Amino acid sequence: MESDSHPEDSTALLAAAFGASPIPAAIVDGQDRIVHANEAFARRQDHTDPAELVGSALPDLHSRSSRIPLGVGLGAYTLISLDPAEATAGGPSARYTGLVSREVLLGEVAQAIASGRRNALLVLHVDRFSIIVDTLGPAEGDRLLETLLARVALATRADDVVCRLGGDEVAVLLRHPTTAEDPGATARWIVRLAGEPVELDGRSVVTSLSVGVALAAPGATVESLLRQADAALSEAKRHGRNRAVVFDPALRAVLEERSRLEYELRVALSSGRLELYFQPEVDMVTGAVLGVEALARWPHPSRGLLAAGAFVELAEQTGLVDELGRWVLDEAVSTLAGWRDLHPELVMRVNVSAMQLARPELVGDVGAILDSAAVPPHQVCLEITETAIMTDIGRSMDVLAELHRLGVRLAIDDFGTGFSSLAHLKRFPVQLLKIDRTFVDDLGDAEGRAIVASVLGLASSLGLAVIAEGVETDEQRRALVELGCTRAQGHLFSEAMDQDSCRRWLATRR
Ligand code: C2E
Ligand code: CA
Ligand code: CA
C-alpha cells in the first residue's frame, strides 16, 4: 500500500508546498537572516514578493512563532512558522484559523465519501501527551498542540479539514488527494515534522506523533473509516509509536484477536486468575540464594501458561498495567512475608513498568503494601528498565527519589539495551544493574566479554551491584565469575517456579 514516491524526496514538490502553504513560514540561517520565505509570510510583512525578503534580518515578530531546527544535516537553518490564527484574514489559511468541530469533521467526511473520489482520514495522537501536560502544565500542553497543528498544516492542503478530537487526538481529512499523492507518505511527512523539537517554557521538548490512516474504499461509511483509522493508530502505537500506519484488511483479524485477548486478560485479572512465578537469584561462588524475581504468568484456558512477555505489553497498551502492577506488588510482598521462616533476608524483586512509574500513586501504593505485610522496605527491590526511566527523565527522578526515601531498593533492568547516559546513571538513586541476557549470550567471544567487563567496571566505580540475567550454561557462569560478576539468575540455576515449588526449592537450599 505504500508507494516509493515520497514528497520529501522531491525538492520541487516540497518547494511548491512551502510556497503555497497558508501558514506564514520562513527559513532563516544561523544569523536569523531570511533564506526563503513563502507568500503567506511575505504578506504578513506587507510584501507581495517573498524574494524581496531574502537576505533581510528576521523581523521582530509580534505574533507567536515556532522555531523548528531543520536538523543536523541542514546546518543551522531554522524554520520559522507563524501562528496561523494571526494570519491576515481571508485566503486559503482561513480554514486553519479555527479547527472544525467534530460534527463538522464528520459532515465533511460524509460528503467526501459521497463524492466517490479518493479520500483519506488520518487520526493523529501525540505520544505521551499526558506526561507532558503533567510536567509542563495544561497551557504549555496547548501550546505544544498548536505548534504541532501548525506543522500538520504545512503538510496538508488548504481544503483538507483538521479537527481536534480530544485532548491529544487530532483528525485530518485529506480531501481528494490525486493519484500521485500518497496519503501514507503525507502521514509519514507529518510524523517527521512533528518530531522536530518544540520550544516550550524555555526548554526544548521533543515529542512524537502516531498516525493511523484509512483510505475510503467503495462502501465506506464515516464510522468504518474512523474505526479503521483508529485501528491503524493502535497498530502504530503498538509498533513503538512515532510512526504512521495505513489500515489494510489484514489488520482487522489481528485487531479482533487482540481485543479478545484484552477482554480475557481483564477477566483473568479481576477474577484473580493470574499467578506469580519466582526465579531465584544466586551467588555463583557460594551457591547462596540472595533473592527472587517475581514474574507474572497467565494460565490461559486455551493457550496454556503464558509468560509475561506474551501479555505485559498488551496490559500496558490497554491501561490494565496499573491493576496488574498493584496485584503483582501485593502478591509478591505477601509471598515474601510468608517465606520469612525459610529465608528471613530474602530480597523480592518486582518489575515496574514505565506507565506505573508515571503514576503519582505508585509511591503510596508501595508504602501501603509494605506496611500491611510488615515487610522491611530494603527487602523489596523494584526493577525498572532504562527506557522507562528515560521516557520522562525529570519526573522519573522525582519518583525514584521518593521510592528511595521509602527505603525500597531500586535496580535498572535490561541494562545496556536502553540509552541512559552515564551522567544520568550517576544521579539515579539505584543500587543495582541487571545486565541484559543478550550480553550474557555474547560472552563466548572476546568482544562480548569486553562489553560485560566494561559494564562491571562502570558499576563498580559507581558503587553499584550487578546481576547477570539469563545465565544458561556453565561456560557463561565461568566467564562471568572470571570477570568478577558473581550474582546471577537464569535457567542454569532455575527457571521461574510457582509459589509452592519455589518454597520447596528454597527449603532445599537452606
Ligand atoms: P525481565 O525482567 O528481563 O525478566 C526476565 C525474563 O527472562 C523472564 O521472562 C524470565 O522468565 C526470562 N528468563 C530468565 N532466565 C532465563 C534464561 O536463562 N534464559 C532465557 N531464555 N530466559 C530467561 P518473562 O517472565 O516472560 O518476562 C518478560 C518480561 O516481562 C520481563 O523481562 C519483564 O520486563 C516483564 N515482566 C515480567 N513480569 C512482570 C510484572 O509483573 N510486571 C511488569 N511490569 N513486567 C513484568
Ligand atoms: Ca526484571
Ligand atoms: Ca531484565
Side-chain angles (χ1 to χ4, degrees):
M1 196 152 308
E2 299 185 348
S3 95
D4 285 333
S5 75
H6 194 310
E8 70 193 89
D9 296 331
S10 158
T11 314
L13 187 55
L14 267 187
F18 177 76
S21 169
I23 305 295
I27 296 169
V28 296
D29 65 13
Q31 279 75 48
D32 265 4
R33 266 191 311 266
I34 293 175
V35 183
H36 290 291
N38 65 7
E39 280 188 17
F41 188 93
R43 269 202 305 279
R44 285 283 285 278
Q45 310 308 318
D46 294 326
H47 283 267
T48 43
D49 183 1
E52 290 170 9
L53 291 171
V54 172
S56 64
L58 183 67
D60 199 9
L61 300 165
H62 293 291
S63 90
R64 197 181 272 163
S65 61
S66 351
R67 299 181 72 92
I68 308 168
L70 292 177
V72 178
L74 292 169
Y77 294 108
T78 302
L79 177 66
I80 307 290
S81 157
L82 302 191
D83 186 342
E86 295 176 34
T88 41
S93 61
R95 217 170 183 107
Y96 296 102
T97 58
L99 301 169
V100 304
S101 67
R102 192 185 173 93
E103 287 65 43
V104 171
L105 171 83
L106 297 183
E108 299 267 6
V109 173
Q111 263 182 30
I113 292 174
S115 75
R117 294 169 62 190
R118 265 166 68 89
N119 285 290
L121 183 67
L122 275 52
V123 176
L124 291 65
H125 187 257
V126 186
D127 299 328
R128 303 189 176 91
F129 188 66
S130 60
I131 294 180
I132 294 166
V133 171
D134 284 354
T135 318
L136 299 177
E140 294 300 310
D142 274 344
R143 283 208 50 192
L144 170 69
L145 225 116
E146 282 170 26
T147 307
L148 294 179
L149 284 169
R151 295 180 190 179
V152 168
L154 284 173
T156 53
R157 286 195 313 216
D159 61 348
D160 294 335
V161 182
V162 182
C163 164
R164 188 166 174 182
L165 290 175
D168 49 3
E169 236 176 47
V170 171
V172 179
L173 169 65
L174 299 182
R175 205 201 300 258
H176 315 323
T178 66
T179 43
E181 292 167 329
D182 170 10
T186 304
R188 288 193 294 277
W189 176 230
I190 289 175
V191 168
R192 207 183 123 175
L193 285 176
E196 295 294 339
V198 179
E199 291 299 324
L200 282 183
D201 198 14
R203 1 183 185 173
S204 177
V205 176
V206 178
T207 54
S208 60
L209 281 184
S210 298
V211 183
V213 183
L215 308 171
T221 61
V222 176
E223 291 71 33
S224 72
L225 214 55
L226 267 173
R227 231 185 357 256
Q228 292 180 358
D230 272 341
L233 173 63
S234 309
E235 200 57 10
K237 291 185 193 170
R238 201 168 74 80
H239 284 285
R241 306 186 175 96
N242 189 24
R243 70 193 61 228
V245 168
V246 181
F247 184 87
D248 76 83
L251 252 181
R252 188 169 296 131
V254 174
L255 288 162
E256 277 165 11
E257 181 76 11
R258 272 172 49 77
S259 60
R260 182 160 48 246
L261 202 62
E262 179 193 340
Y263 170 75
E264 290 170 344
L265 179 57
R266 209 175 277 280
V267 172
L269 246 175
S270 61
S271 53
R273 264 181 258 147
L274 292 192
E275 289 182 22
L276 263 197
Y277 272 46
F278 302 91
Q279 184 180 41
E281 170 219 337
V282 300
D283 182 315
M284 294 186 281
V285 176
T286 66
V289 183
L290 306 169
V292 293
E293 176 174 6
L295 295 162
R297 293 291 180 268
W298 177 11
H300 188 278
S302 60
R303 297 166 195 240
L305 185 69
L306 296 181
F311 63 90
V312 166
E313 200 190 311
L314 180 68
E316 290 187 333
Q317 283 158 1
T318 52
L320 285 172
V321 76
D322 268 1
E323 201 181 333
L324 173 70
R326 247 191 322 270
W327 174 79
V328 168
L329 262 168
D330 203 25
E331 184 74 9
V333 170
S334 56
T335 301
L336 182 68
W339 287 347
R340 210 172 281 149
D341 55 329
L342 273 177
H343 196 323
E345 284 305 313
L346 193 73
V347 171
M348 178 63 71
R349 308 195 176 283
V350 181
N351 294 286
V352 170
S353 75
M355 289 181 79
Q356 286 176 274
L357 201 60
R359 278 177 63 246
E361 295 89 348
L362 177 67
V363 182
D365 285 354
V366 173
I369 288 171
L370 288 171
D371 278 353
S372 77
V375 161
H378 72 267
Q379 273 180 266
V380 170
C381 176
L382 303 182
E383 298 191 357
I384 302 159
T385 63
E386 284 178 278
T387 331
I389 297 177
M390 297 306 290
T391 300
D392 180 357
I393 179 92
R395 188 196 180 96
S396 306
M397 286 295 259
D398 295 345
V399 176
L400 293 182
E402 282 184 53
L403 288 169
H404 183 59
R405 268 199 297 279
L406 206 62
V408 295
R409 295 194 205 175
L410 298 168
I412 296 190
D413 206 349
D414 303 345
F415 184 75
T417 59
F419 46 90
S420 59
S421 79
L422 298 181
H424 283 133
L425 194 56
K426 208 175 64 191
R427 289 162 49 219
F428 293 146
V430 298
Q431 294 81 39
L432 188 112
L433 301 181
K434 294 187 81 169
I435 301 189
D436 192 65
R437 192 169 83 222
T438 51
F439 297 104
V440 173
D441 278 347
D442 291 344
L443 279 170
D445 59 57
E447 216 171 276
R449 278 194 299 277
I451 292 175
V452 171
S454 73
V455 172
L456 292 171
L458 169 72
S460 108
S461 65
L462 292 173
L464 302 175
V466 173
I467 298 179
E469 294 184 318
V471 177
E472 294 180 345
T473 67
D474 207 47
E475 289 73 51
Q476 290 170 342
R477 183 188 67 81
R478 266 202 305 272
L480 285 163
V481 172
E482 245 166 55
L483 290 169
C485 176
T486 55
R487 299 166 67 171
Q489 59 189 81
H491 293 170
L492 180 63
F493 316 106
S494 172
E495 294 193 13
M497 297 169 275
D498 65 34
Q499 195 181 336
D500 289 344
S501 312
C502 191
R503 190 185 164 87
R504 281 195 297 277
W505 192 92
L506 288 171
T508 63
R509 294 290 182 121
R510 282 194 343 161

